[in-house]
Short mmCIF file of all heavy atoms in Angstrom, two decimals:
data_model
loop_
_atom_site.label_atom_id
_atom_site.label_comp_id
_atom_site.label_asym_id
_atom_site.label_seq_id
_atom_site.Cartn_x
_atom_site.Cartn_y
_atom_site.Cartn_z
N TYR N 213 3.97 -12.95 -0.72
CA TYR N 213 4.90 -11.89 -1.10
C TYR N 213 4.32 -11.05 -2.25
O TYR N 213 4.33 -9.82 -2.20
CB TYR N 213 6.23 -12.50 -1.51
CG TYR N 213 7.17 -11.55 -2.20
CD1 TYR N 213 7.82 -10.55 -1.49
CD2 TYR N 213 7.38 -11.63 -3.57
CE1 TYR N 213 8.67 -9.66 -2.12
CE2 TYR N 213 8.23 -10.75 -4.21
CZ TYR N 213 8.87 -9.76 -3.48
OH TYR N 213 9.71 -8.88 -4.12
N ILE N 214 3.79 -11.73 -3.27
CA ILE N 214 3.21 -11.02 -4.41
C ILE N 214 1.99 -10.22 -3.98
O ILE N 214 1.79 -9.07 -4.41
CB ILE N 214 2.85 -12.01 -5.53
CG1 ILE N 214 4.11 -12.69 -6.07
CG2 ILE N 214 2.11 -11.31 -6.67
CD1 ILE N 214 3.85 -13.80 -7.08
N ALA N 215 1.16 -10.79 -3.10
CA ALA N 215 -0.01 -10.08 -2.59
C ALA N 215 0.42 -8.81 -1.86
O ALA N 215 -0.21 -7.75 -2.00
CB ALA N 215 -0.82 -10.99 -1.66
N GLY N 216 1.50 -8.90 -1.07
CA GLY N 216 2.00 -7.72 -0.37
C GLY N 216 2.42 -6.63 -1.34
O GLY N 216 2.17 -5.44 -1.10
N LEU N 217 3.06 -7.00 -2.45
CA LEU N 217 3.46 -6.01 -3.45
C LEU N 217 2.25 -5.35 -4.10
O LEU N 217 2.24 -4.14 -4.35
CB LEU N 217 4.33 -6.66 -4.52
CG LEU N 217 5.78 -6.96 -4.16
CD1 LEU N 217 6.51 -7.57 -5.34
CD2 LEU N 217 6.50 -5.69 -3.71
N PHE N 218 1.21 -6.14 -4.38
CA PHE N 218 0.00 -5.57 -4.98
C PHE N 218 -0.70 -4.63 -4.01
O PHE N 218 -1.23 -3.59 -4.42
CB PHE N 218 -0.94 -6.68 -5.43
CG PHE N 218 -0.67 -7.17 -6.82
CD1 PHE N 218 0.15 -8.26 -7.05
CD2 PHE N 218 -1.23 -6.53 -7.92
CE1 PHE N 218 0.41 -8.70 -8.34
CE2 PHE N 218 -0.98 -6.97 -9.21
CZ PHE N 218 -0.16 -8.06 -9.42
N ILE N 219 -0.70 -4.99 -2.72
CA ILE N 219 -1.29 -4.09 -1.72
C ILE N 219 -0.49 -2.79 -1.64
O ILE N 219 -1.06 -1.69 -1.58
CB ILE N 219 -1.33 -4.78 -0.34
CG1 ILE N 219 -2.29 -5.96 -0.36
CG2 ILE N 219 -1.74 -3.79 0.75
CD1 ILE N 219 -2.26 -6.80 0.91
N LEU N 220 0.84 -2.91 -1.66
CA LEU N 220 1.69 -1.72 -1.62
C LEU N 220 1.50 -0.87 -2.86
O LEU N 220 1.42 0.37 -2.77
CB LEU N 220 3.15 -2.14 -1.47
CG LEU N 220 4.18 -1.01 -1.33
CD1 LEU N 220 3.85 -0.13 -0.12
CD2 LEU N 220 5.58 -1.58 -1.21
N MET N 221 1.40 -1.49 -4.03
CA MET N 221 1.21 -0.73 -5.26
C MET N 221 -0.14 -0.02 -5.26
O MET N 221 -0.25 1.13 -5.72
CB MET N 221 1.31 -1.65 -6.48
CG MET N 221 1.35 -0.89 -7.80
SD MET N 221 1.92 -1.91 -9.17
CE MET N 221 2.29 -0.66 -10.39
N THR N 222 -1.17 -0.68 -4.73
CA THR N 222 -2.48 -0.05 -4.62
C THR N 222 -2.39 1.19 -3.73
O THR N 222 -2.94 2.26 -4.06
CB THR N 222 -3.51 -1.03 -4.03
OG1 THR N 222 -3.58 -2.19 -4.86
CG2 THR N 222 -4.89 -0.39 -3.94
N SER N 223 -1.69 1.06 -2.61
CA SER N 223 -1.53 2.18 -1.70
C SER N 223 -0.79 3.34 -2.36
O SER N 223 -1.16 4.51 -2.21
CB SER N 223 -0.77 1.73 -0.44
OG SER N 223 -1.41 0.63 0.17
N VAL N 224 0.27 3.01 -3.11
CA VAL N 224 1.06 4.04 -3.79
C VAL N 224 0.22 4.76 -4.83
O VAL N 224 0.27 6.00 -4.94
CB VAL N 224 2.31 3.40 -4.45
CG1 VAL N 224 2.99 4.39 -5.40
CG2 VAL N 224 3.29 2.94 -3.38
N ILE N 225 -0.57 4.02 -5.60
CA ILE N 225 -1.39 4.63 -6.64
C ILE N 225 -2.47 5.52 -6.05
O ILE N 225 -2.73 6.63 -6.55
CB ILE N 225 -2.00 3.54 -7.54
CG1 ILE N 225 -0.91 2.89 -8.39
CG2 ILE N 225 -3.09 4.12 -8.44
CD1 ILE N 225 -1.37 1.69 -9.19
N ILE N 226 -3.10 5.09 -4.96
CA ILE N 226 -4.20 5.85 -4.37
C ILE N 226 -3.74 7.23 -3.91
O ILE N 226 -4.42 8.24 -4.12
CB ILE N 226 -4.83 5.07 -3.19
CG1 ILE N 226 -5.62 3.87 -3.72
CG2 ILE N 226 -5.74 5.97 -2.36
CD1 ILE N 226 -6.17 2.97 -2.64
N VAL N 227 -2.57 7.30 -3.27
CA VAL N 227 -2.09 8.59 -2.74
C VAL N 227 -0.96 9.17 -3.59
O VAL N 227 -0.24 10.07 -3.16
CB VAL N 227 -1.65 8.46 -1.27
CG1 VAL N 227 -2.81 8.10 -0.39
CG2 VAL N 227 -0.53 7.44 -1.11
N LYS N 228 -0.79 8.63 -4.80
CA LYS N 228 0.16 9.16 -5.78
C LYS N 228 1.60 9.22 -5.27
O LYS N 228 2.29 10.23 -5.42
CB LYS N 228 -0.29 10.54 -6.26
CG LYS N 228 -1.61 10.53 -7.02
CD LYS N 228 -1.96 11.91 -7.55
CE LYS N 228 -3.23 11.86 -8.36
NZ LYS N 228 -3.59 13.19 -8.92
N GLY N 229 2.04 8.13 -4.64
CA GLY N 229 3.44 8.00 -4.28
C GLY N 229 3.88 8.73 -3.03
O GLY N 229 5.08 8.76 -2.74
N LYS N 230 2.95 9.29 -2.28
CA LYS N 230 3.33 10.00 -1.05
C LYS N 230 3.71 9.00 0.04
O LYS N 230 3.33 7.83 -0.01
CB LYS N 230 2.18 10.88 -0.57
CG LYS N 230 1.83 11.99 -1.56
CD LYS N 230 0.64 12.79 -1.08
CE LYS N 230 0.26 13.86 -2.10
NZ LYS N 230 -0.97 14.59 -1.72
N THR N 231 4.46 9.49 1.04
CA THR N 231 4.91 8.62 2.12
C THR N 231 3.72 8.03 2.89
O THR N 231 3.84 6.97 3.51
CB THR N 231 5.81 9.40 3.09
OG1 THR N 231 6.84 10.05 2.32
CG2 THR N 231 6.47 8.49 4.10
N LEU N 232 2.59 8.70 2.82
CA LEU N 232 1.37 8.20 3.45
C LEU N 232 0.99 6.81 2.93
O LEU N 232 0.24 6.08 3.58
CB LEU N 232 0.22 9.18 3.21
CG LEU N 232 -1.13 8.91 3.87
CD1 LEU N 232 -0.99 8.94 5.39
CD2 LEU N 232 -2.17 9.91 3.40
N SER N 233 1.55 6.45 1.77
CA SER N 233 1.29 5.13 1.18
C SER N 233 1.64 4.00 2.15
O SER N 233 0.94 2.99 2.20
CB SER N 233 2.11 4.94 -0.10
OG SER N 233 1.95 6.00 -0.99
N ILE N 234 2.71 4.19 2.93
CA ILE N 234 3.15 3.14 3.84
C ILE N 234 2.11 2.92 4.94
O ILE N 234 1.79 1.78 5.29
CB ILE N 234 4.52 3.50 4.45
CG1 ILE N 234 5.57 3.54 3.33
CG2 ILE N 234 4.94 2.49 5.51
CD1 ILE N 234 6.96 3.95 3.78
N LEU N 235 1.55 4.02 5.48
CA LEU N 235 0.50 3.88 6.49
C LEU N 235 -0.74 3.22 5.90
O LEU N 235 -1.37 2.37 6.54
CB LEU N 235 0.14 5.25 7.07
CG LEU N 235 1.24 5.96 7.87
CD1 LEU N 235 0.75 7.33 8.34
CD2 LEU N 235 1.65 5.12 9.06
N LEU N 236 -1.07 3.61 4.68
CA LEU N 236 -2.22 3.00 4.01
C LEU N 236 -1.97 1.52 3.76
O LEU N 236 -2.87 0.69 3.90
CB LEU N 236 -2.49 3.73 2.69
CG LEU N 236 -3.77 3.35 1.93
CD1 LEU N 236 -5.00 3.60 2.79
CD2 LEU N 236 -3.86 4.13 0.63
N TYR N 237 -0.73 1.18 3.43
CA TYR N 237 -0.34 -0.22 3.23
C TYR N 237 -0.55 -1.04 4.50
O TYR N 237 -1.11 -2.13 4.46
CB TYR N 237 1.13 -0.25 2.80
CG TYR N 237 1.79 -1.61 2.87
CD1 TYR N 237 1.51 -2.60 1.93
CD2 TYR N 237 2.71 -1.90 3.89
CE1 TYR N 237 2.13 -3.83 1.99
CE2 TYR N 237 3.32 -3.13 3.95
CZ TYR N 237 3.03 -4.09 3.00
OH TYR N 237 3.63 -5.32 3.07
N PHE N 238 -0.13 -0.49 5.64
CA PHE N 238 -0.34 -1.19 6.91
C PHE N 238 -1.83 -1.32 7.22
O PHE N 238 -2.29 -2.34 7.74
CB PHE N 238 0.38 -0.48 8.05
CG PHE N 238 1.86 -0.70 8.06
CD1 PHE N 238 2.75 0.35 7.96
CD2 PHE N 238 2.39 -1.98 8.17
CE1 PHE N 238 4.12 0.15 7.97
CE2 PHE N 238 3.75 -2.21 8.18
CZ PHE N 238 4.62 -1.14 8.08
N GLY N 239 -2.59 -0.28 6.90
CA GLY N 239 -4.03 -0.34 7.12
C GLY N 239 -4.69 -1.42 6.29
O GLY N 239 -5.53 -2.19 6.79
N PHE N 240 -4.33 -1.50 5.01
CA PHE N 240 -4.86 -2.56 4.14
C PHE N 240 -4.47 -3.94 4.65
O PHE N 240 -5.26 -4.89 4.61
CB PHE N 240 -4.36 -2.37 2.70
CG PHE N 240 -5.11 -1.34 1.92
CD1 PHE N 240 -4.44 -0.48 1.05
CD2 PHE N 240 -6.48 -1.21 2.03
CE1 PHE N 240 -5.12 0.47 0.31
CE2 PHE N 240 -7.18 -0.26 1.29
CZ PHE N 240 -6.49 0.59 0.43
N ASN N 241 -3.22 -4.06 5.11
CA ASN N 241 -2.76 -5.35 5.64
C ASN N 241 -3.55 -5.77 6.87
O ASN N 241 -3.87 -6.95 7.03
CB ASN N 241 -1.26 -5.29 5.97
CG ASN N 241 -0.39 -5.73 4.82
OD1 ASN N 241 -0.65 -6.76 4.19
ND2 ASN N 241 0.63 -4.97 4.51
N MET N 242 -3.83 -4.81 7.73
CA MET N 242 -4.64 -5.10 8.91
C MET N 242 -6.04 -5.55 8.51
O MET N 242 -6.59 -6.51 9.07
CB MET N 242 -4.71 -3.87 9.83
CG MET N 242 -3.40 -3.53 10.51
SD MET N 242 -3.47 -1.99 11.45
CE MET N 242 -4.71 -2.42 12.68
N LEU N 243 -6.61 -4.87 7.53
CA LEU N 243 -7.95 -5.24 7.04
C LEU N 243 -7.94 -6.64 6.45
O LEU N 243 -8.83 -7.46 6.75
CB LEU N 243 -8.42 -4.22 6.00
CG LEU N 243 -9.78 -4.49 5.34
CD1 LEU N 243 -10.89 -4.46 6.40
CD2 LEU N 243 -10.05 -3.46 4.25
#
C-alpha cells in the first residue's frame, strides 16, 4: 500500500499534478 502511494506521488510530481499522472501511475505499476 505504501509503495503504491510513493509510485502515485512520483507520478504526480513528474507531471505536476495533471490527470496524466494516473496513466503514468499505471505504467509504473506495470513496470
Side-chain angles (χ1 to χ4, degrees):
Y213 168 73
I214 296 174
L217 283 182
F218 272 93
I219 294 173
L220 184 58
M221 190 165 195
T222 302
S223 305
V224 169
I225 290 173
I226 288 175
V227 296
K228 295 184 177 181
K230 297 177 182 175
T231 308
L232 185 63
S233 308
I234 296 177
L235 294 178
L236 188 59
Y237 166 75
F238 284 121
F240 280 141
N241 268 314
M242 291 174 63
L243 177 63

